[in-house]
Amino acid sequence: MDYQRTLREIADEVRPLVGRGRIADYIPPLADVPRGRFGMVVRTIGSEVFSVGDAEERFSIQSIAKVFSLTLAMRLEGDTVWERVGREPSGTAFNSLVQLEVEHGIPRNPFINAGALVVLDMVLSHQAQGQDLVLDFVRRASANPSVGYDTSVAEAERATGHRNRALAHFLKSFGNLRNDPDRVLDAYFLLCSLSMSCAELAAAFQYLATSGLSAGGEQVATARQVKRVNSVMLTCGVYDEAGDYAYRVGLPAKSGVGGGVVAVMPGRFVAAVWSPCLSEKGNSLAGTMALELLTTKTALSIF
Ligand code: GLN
């Protein structure tokens, strides 16, 4: 498989789409990200890395980080996670409030914002003062101690994230947050502000392609947990574009409003792509096309 040649072809073919769509400027620092960026990495389970474009530039991974917090919560709490959050596609926007009222404070899945808040609340209940279990997990999964938060992004979301505040307090009113909503929100804004490159993300997600073995050779999740995280990514990872992704890409994937998307081909590779302009549903336009081209050109998908 000539992944390098495939990536070069993909970069050429998506070029007309790069810069089309809208940037997630509701998070003020993201408005300044250059629209023309495009980077992509394929990392095989043998840790061979192929890349094209802006693959080493760090960006705000936003909701991609919800995969790490979910894996961690499953490690800490096992199947009881699913008593407080569902695992069905939402069919609504990632920051919607409507469903939560109807469904009595149990978020549809761990990847919409409400679900991620509940998952983080679980993690915080295991966290002693001064600890940061999420950051520790991300650094272990990626075998990269330099990964960290962009606190200016976290601060900006803290100042402007009124909808997330509403969600957290709404969850609290239903009794589905154990901790103080402001503590959960602070952890949430930090989680979303993780700053990583495509190359770093591909390494961090390696455990999802290898039944739990990290880029550093450490077992960071069980095979059972990996199967479950991948299945929730397939059905819920790109919000109400999940059906379109399964159809066009055919891989479990997780996106963020920073324009990153990571897709997993279990037993073969992880692909990470970044281009900041988004579709109406909040997923990278060029990134989605790039992943569709990857599975088309390689004839590799889970189907
Ligand atoms: N921090 C963003 C928010 O809460 C994350 C959304 C996303 O990446 N889809 O709105």
Side-chain angles (χ1 to χ4, degrees), residues 24-32 60 62 149-165 185-186 188-194:
D25 54 8
Y26 76 94
I27 302 172
L30 298 191
D32 303 328
S60 190
Q62 293 292 321
Y149 303 122
D150 182 335
T151 48
S152 63
V153 172
E155 266 313 307
E157 261 208 278
R158 219 161 92 89
T160 58
H162 300 295
R163 191 169 266 271
N164 287 320
R165 271 180 204 289
L185 284 161
D186 283 348
Y188 176 81
F189 295 134
L190 275 176
L191 176 77
C192 292
S193 82
L194 275 168

Side-chain angles (χ1 to χ4, degrees), residues 42-228:
V42 170
R43 182 186 170 108
T44 69
I45 59 162
S47 297
E48 277 183 293
V49 180
F50 305 91
S51 65
V52 72
D54 305 307
E56 304 290 338
E57 187 170 331
R58 284 183 168 170
F59 58 92
S60 190
I61 73 166
Q62 293 292 321
S63 287
I64 296 172
K66 294 171 183 171
V67 175
F68 303 128
S69 47
L70 174 63
T71 309
L72 183 56
M74 288 170 76
R75 282 172 51 116
L76 294 168
E77 302 229 330
D79 288 339
T80 55
V81 165
W82 306 111
E83 290 168 12
R84 294 174 55 194
V85 64
R87 45 174 189 260
E88 294 295 345
S90 67
T92 55
F94 59 79
N95 54 7
S96 171
L97 284 142
V98 178
Q99 218 160 34
L100 206 50
E101 167 82 354
V102 181
E103 297 182 353
H104 311 291
I106 306 290
R108 267 291 170 97
N109 68 64
F111 293 150
I112 53 173
N113 293 7
L117 288 163
V118 170
V119 165
L120 264 182
D121 182 63
M122 296 174 196
V123 172
L124 289 177
S125 296
H126 294 263
Q127 183 165 293
Q129 187 104 39
Q131 265 188 321
D132 188 334
L133 295 178
V134 173
L135 191 57
D136 289 348
F137 179 79
V138 178
R139 287 176 171 171
R140 276 175 59 196
S142 50
N144 183 350
S146 81
V147 171
Y149 303 122
D150 182 335
T151 48
S152 63
V153 172
E155 266 313 307
E157 261 208 278
R158 219 161 92 89
T160 58
H162 300 295
R163 191 169 266 271
N164 287 320
R165 271 180 204 289
L167 284 168
H169 286 274
F170 209 27
L171 287 163
K172 186 76 178 173
S173 78
F174 282 109
N176 202 7
L177 287 189
R178 307 284 185 266
N179 296 281
D180 179 70
D182 285 330
R183 181 174 177 222
V184 180
L185 284 161
D186 283 348
Y188 176 81
F189 295 134
L190 275 176
L191 176 77
C192 292
S193 82
L194 275 168
S195 177
M196 295 171 77
S197 66
C198 288
E200 289 171 330
L201 272 172
F205 270 63
Q206 183 146 322
Y207 74 97
L208 293 172
T210 59
S211 299
L213 217 52
S214 76
E218 190 186 346
Q219 192 78 36
V220 294
T222 64
R224 183 173 183 268
Q225 287 162 345
V226 163
K227 182 183 88 173
R228 291 168 192 281

